[in-house]
Amino acid sequence: LRWCLNADSKAACTSALCIQTDMASGPTDTPAAKRQRTNGGSSPTASAATVRVRHILFAHQQLRQSDMMARRIGKSKTVQEAEVLALEVLEKLLAPAASRDQQAFPKLCREHSDCQSAAQPGALSGDLGWVSRGQQEAAFEEACFNLAPQSYSDLITTSRGIHIIHRLA
């Protein structure tokens, strides 16, 4: 990009766009040290500093302490009832019809989630935003960072209840 080198340093704005045109050469052409730095060593999902997630929380009445972020008392009396309900919702989310419907998650979240985040409008229902390491409980964090973008977790149990996590990015 020769024009970048000739740009006026006193100009208010200077920008550049780099485009790779040779897509045939993949990561096999890069040195091992660079591959390790860019991929974080193992999997691409493990190297992310932050992830964007949303969730559906199934609280139950056997929780040790009350949840300050709960929008309502859990419908389920026991952990088993919460798990059964969570599995039913997860099956709906994984159904082929739901994968094509972008409103399936927000609709099910508003209907079933016991978290205050479910009351957010539209597609933001259940959205926790960008999550960094160390912000959530260990089980929740591990699930978030091990998910691939646009995928759902299995049932995750924390001190707040049972979660279904959807990683957005």
Side-chain angles (χ1 to χ4, degrees):
L1 298 175
R2 180 88 178 128
W3 64 271
C4 288
L5 298 174
N6 296 334
D8 183 9
S9 62
K10 296 175 185 153
C13 179
T14 304
S15 59
L17 174 66
C18 297
I19 301 172
Q20 179 180 357
T21 57
D22 184 18
M23 298 304 283
S25 63
T28 56
D29 296 332
T30 59
K34 184 174 181 180
R35 272 198 310 269
Q36 187 173 10
R37 268 195 325 270
T38 57
N39 290 341
S42 57
S43 71
T45 57
S47 66
T50 59
V51 293
R52 182 152 181 238
V53 295
R54 57 186 179 180
H55 76 137
I56 300 175
L57 172 65
F58 301 89
H60 49 83
Q61 295 174 7
Q62 291 181 333
L63 293 173
R64 292 186 184 132
Q65 57 187 354
S66 63
D67 186 359
M68 300 304 290
M69 292 298 294
R71 69 178 180 148
R72 62 183 177 209
I73 297 173
K75 297 177 188 177
S76 305
K77 292 189 183 300
T78 65
V79 177
Q80 292 79 15
E81 287 178 16
E83 285 178 353
V84 168
L85 182 58
L87 283 171
E88 289 172 5
V89 171
L90 185 58
E91 286 175 358
K92 290 177 185 176
L93 288 170
L94 296 176
S99 65
R100 291 187 298 272
D101 182 10
Q102 292 183 357
Q103 293 302 313
F105 186 92
K107 180 182 173 190
L108 289 168
C109 184
R110 277 190 291 281
E111 184 180 335
H112 295 285
S113 185
D114 297 318
C115 183
Q116 286 180 354
S117 64
Q120 296 182 67
L124 292 175
S125 185
D127 196 341
L128 297 177
W130 291 95
V131 175
S132 300
R133 293 192 184 273
Q135 288 183 323
Q136 302 290 331
E137 290 184 38
F140 192 93
E141 182 180 295
E142 183 180 341
C144 289
F145 283 91
N146 287 329
L147 281 174
Q150 300 304 323
S151 60
Y152 294 98
S153 70
D154 199 357
L155 303 184
I156 307 299
T157 303
T158 67
S159 65
R160 296 186 63 209
I162 298 170
H163 306 259
I164 297 172
I165 303 169
H166 181 207
R167 179 172 170 184
L168 299 171

